[in-house]
PDB file of all heavy atoms in Angstrom:
ATOM      1  N   THR B  35      25.489   2.855  24.891  1.00  0.00           N
ATOM      2  CA  THR B  35      26.745   2.309  25.382  1.00  0.00           C
ATOM      3  C   THR B  35      27.354   1.321  24.400  1.00  0.00           C
ATOM      4  O   THR B  35      26.641   0.637  23.673  1.00  0.00           O
ATOM      5  CB  THR B  35      26.555   1.615  26.752  1.00  0.00           C
ATOM      6  OG1 THR B  35      27.810   1.061  27.161  1.00  0.00           O
ATOM      7  CG2 THR B  35      25.518   0.501  26.663  1.00  0.00           C
ATOM      8  N   ALA B  36      28.687   1.289  24.416  1.00  0.00           N
ATOM      9  CA  ALA B  36      29.422   0.273  23.664  1.00  0.00           C
ATOM     10  C   ALA B  36      30.284  -0.547  24.622  1.00  0.00           C
ATOM     11  O   ALA B  36      31.148  -1.305  24.186  1.00  0.00           O
ATOM     12  CB  ALA B  36      30.288   0.930  22.594  1.00  0.00           C
ATOM     13  N   ASP B  37      30.037  -0.402  25.912  1.00  0.00           N
ATOM     14  CA  ASP B  37      30.851  -1.057  26.934  1.00  0.00           C
ATOM     15  C   ASP B  37      30.233  -2.412  27.294  1.00  0.00           C
ATOM     16  O   ASP B  37      29.123  -2.470  27.832  1.00  0.00           O
ATOM     17  CB  ASP B  37      30.913  -0.148  28.170  1.00  0.00           C
ATOM     18  CG  ASP B  37      31.743  -0.763  29.293  1.00  0.00           C
ATOM     19  OD1 ASP B  37      32.029  -1.984  29.228  1.00  0.00           O
ATOM     20  OD2 ASP B  37      32.089  -0.028  30.230  1.00  0.00           O
ATOM     21  N   PRO B  38      30.933  -3.506  27.003  1.00  0.00           N
ATOM     22  CA  PRO B  38      30.357  -4.837  27.264  1.00  0.00           C
ATOM     23  C   PRO B  38      29.937  -5.044  28.718  1.00  0.00           C
ATOM     24  O   PRO B  38      28.981  -5.767  28.993  1.00  0.00           O
ATOM     25  CB  PRO B  38      31.499  -5.790  26.879  1.00  0.00           C
ATOM     26  CG  PRO B  38      32.298  -5.025  25.872  1.00  0.00           C
ATOM     27  CD  PRO B  38      32.228  -3.590  26.308  1.00  0.00           C
ATOM     28  N   THR B  39      30.632  -4.392  29.652  1.00  0.00           N
ATOM     29  CA  THR B  39      30.273  -4.534  31.065  1.00  0.00           C
ATOM     30  C   THR B  39      28.916  -3.905  31.338  1.00  0.00           C
ATOM     31  O   THR B  39      28.047  -4.499  32.007  1.00  0.00           O
ATOM     32  CB  THR B  39      31.344  -3.872  31.959  1.00  0.00           C
ATOM     33  OG1 THR B  39      32.619  -4.401  31.600  1.00  0.00           O
ATOM     34  CG2 THR B  39      31.069  -4.145  33.428  1.00  0.00           C
ATOM     35  N   ASP B  40      28.710  -2.689  30.770  1.00  0.00           N
ATOM     36  CA  ASP B  40      27.407  -2.024  30.922  1.00  0.00           C
ATOM     37  C   ASP B  40      26.307  -2.848  30.269  1.00  0.00           C
ATOM     38  O   ASP B  40      25.199  -2.970  30.802  1.00  0.00           O
ATOM     39  CB  ASP B  40      27.429  -0.640  30.245  1.00  0.00           C
ATOM     40  CG  ASP B  40      28.239   0.371  31.026  1.00  0.00           C
ATOM     41  OD1 ASP B  40      28.594   0.060  32.182  1.00  0.00           O
ATOM     42  OD2 ASP B  40      28.506   1.451  30.477  1.00  0.00           O
ATOM     43  N   ILE B  41      26.623  -3.377  29.087  1.00  0.00           N
ATOM     44  CA  ILE B  41      25.619  -4.136  28.344  1.00  0.00           C
ATOM     45  C   ILE B  41      25.240  -5.397  29.129  1.00  0.00           C
ATOM     46  O   ILE B  41      24.060  -5.753  29.236  1.00  0.00           O
ATOM     47  CB  ILE B  41      26.154  -4.482  26.930  1.00  0.00           C
ATOM     48  CG1 ILE B  41      26.379  -3.188  26.129  1.00  0.00           C
ATOM     49  CG2 ILE B  41      25.190  -5.424  26.200  1.00  0.00           C
ATOM     50  CD1 ILE B  41      27.223  -3.368  24.877  1.00  0.00           C
ATOM     51  N   ALA B  42      26.258  -6.042  29.707  1.00  0.00           N
ATOM     52  CA  ALA B  42      25.994  -7.263  30.481  1.00  0.00           C
ATOM     53  C   ALA B  42      25.126  -6.963  31.701  1.00  0.00           C
ATOM     54  O   ALA B  42      24.320  -7.805  32.123  1.00  0.00           O
ATOM     55  CB  ALA B  42      27.315  -7.904  30.909  1.00  0.00           C
ATOM     56  N   ALA B  43      25.277  -5.759  32.256  1.00  0.00           N
ATOM     57  CA  ALA B  43      24.564  -5.423  33.487  1.00  0.00           C
ATOM     58  C   ALA B  43      23.140  -4.943  33.237  1.00  0.00           C
ATOM     59  O   ALA B  43      22.336  -4.883  34.171  1.00  0.00           O
ATOM     60  CB  ALA B  43      25.341  -4.330  34.236  1.00  0.00           C
ATOM     61  N   ALA B  44      22.809  -4.615  31.971  1.00  0.00           N
ATOM     62  CA  ALA B  44      21.490  -4.043  31.688  1.00  0.00           C
ATOM     63  C   ALA B  44      20.402  -5.112  31.777  1.00  0.00           C
ATOM     64  O   ALA B  44      20.657  -6.304  31.600  1.00  0.00           O
ATOM     65  CB  ALA B  44      21.495  -3.403  30.304  1.00  0.00           C
ATOM     66  N   ASP B  45      19.173  -4.640  32.025  1.00  0.00           N
ATOM     67  CA  ASP B  45      18.026  -5.559  32.092  1.00  0.00           C
ATOM     68  C   ASP B  45      17.513  -5.921  30.706  1.00  0.00           C
ATOM     69  O   ASP B  45      16.822  -6.923  30.530  1.00  0.00           O
ATOM     70  CB  ASP B  45      16.886  -4.905  32.883  1.00  0.00           C
ATOM     71  CG  ASP B  45      17.289  -4.545  34.298  1.00  0.00           C
ATOM     72  OD1 ASP B  45      18.009  -5.359  34.919  1.00  0.00           O
ATOM     73  OD2 ASP B  45      16.915  -3.454  34.763  1.00  0.00           O
ATOM     74  N   GLY B  46      17.788  -5.069  29.718  1.00  0.00           N
ATOM     75  CA  GLY B  46      17.352  -5.326  28.351  1.00  0.00           C
ATOM     76  C   GLY B  46      18.330  -4.695  27.379  1.00  0.00           C
ATOM     77  O   GLY B  46      19.107  -3.806  27.746  1.00  0.00           O
ATOM     78  N   VAL B  47      18.297  -5.165  26.134  1.00  0.00           N
ATOM     79  CA  VAL B  47      19.251  -4.702  25.120  1.00  0.00           C
ATOM     80  C   VAL B  47      18.483  -4.271  23.874  1.00  0.00           C
ATOM     81  O   VAL B  47      17.528  -4.952  23.467  1.00  0.00           O
ATOM     82  CB  VAL B  47      20.249  -5.822  24.752  1.00  0.00           C
ATOM     83  CG1 VAL B  47      21.161  -5.388  23.608  1.00  0.00           C
ATOM     84  CG2 VAL B  47      21.060  -6.247  25.970  1.00  0.00           C
ATOM     85  N   VAL B  48      18.893  -3.127  23.302  1.00  0.00           N
ATOM     86  CA  VAL B  48      18.303  -2.673  22.038  1.00  0.00           C
ATOM     87  C   VAL B  48      19.416  -2.543  21.001  1.00  0.00           C
ATOM     88  O   VAL B  48      20.453  -1.925  21.262  1.00  0.00           O
ATOM     89  CB  VAL B  48      17.580  -1.323  22.206  1.00  0.00           C
ATOM     90  CG1 VAL B  48      17.158  -0.758  20.846  1.00  0.00           C
ATOM     91  CG2 VAL B  48      16.354  -1.485  23.113  1.00  0.00           C
ATOM     92  N   LEU B  49      19.185  -3.149  19.836  1.00  0.00           N
ATOM     93  CA  LEU B  49      20.126  -3.046  18.716  1.00  0.00           C
ATOM     94  C   LEU B  49      19.464  -2.218  17.620  1.00  0.00           C
ATOM     95  O   LEU B  49      18.627  -2.711  16.879  1.00  0.00           O
ATOM     96  CB  LEU B  49      20.480  -4.435  18.180  1.00  0.00           C
ATOM     97  CG  LEU B  49      21.397  -4.464  16.953  1.00  0.00           C
ATOM     98  CD1 LEU B  49      22.769  -3.884  17.271  1.00  0.00           C
ATOM     99  CD2 LEU B  49      21.527  -5.891  16.411  1.00  0.00           C
ATOM    100  N   PRO B  50      19.826  -0.937  17.526  1.00  0.00           N
ATOM    101  CA  PRO B  50      19.264  -0.113  16.452  1.00  0.00           C
ATOM    102  C   PRO B  50      20.075  -0.329  15.167  1.00  0.00           C
ATOM    103  O   PRO B  50      21.045  -1.096  15.159  1.00  0.00           O
ATOM    104  CB  PRO B  50      19.434   1.315  16.965  1.00  0.00           C
ATOM    105  CG  PRO B  50      20.443   1.252  18.056  1.00  0.00           C
ATOM    106  CD  PRO B  50      20.746  -0.177  18.372  1.00  0.00           C
TER     107      PRO B  50
END
Side-chain angles (χ1 to χ4, degrees):
Chain B
T35 178
D37 180 345
T39 307
D40 287 349
I41 296 165
D45 301 320
V47 175
V48 171
L49 177 64

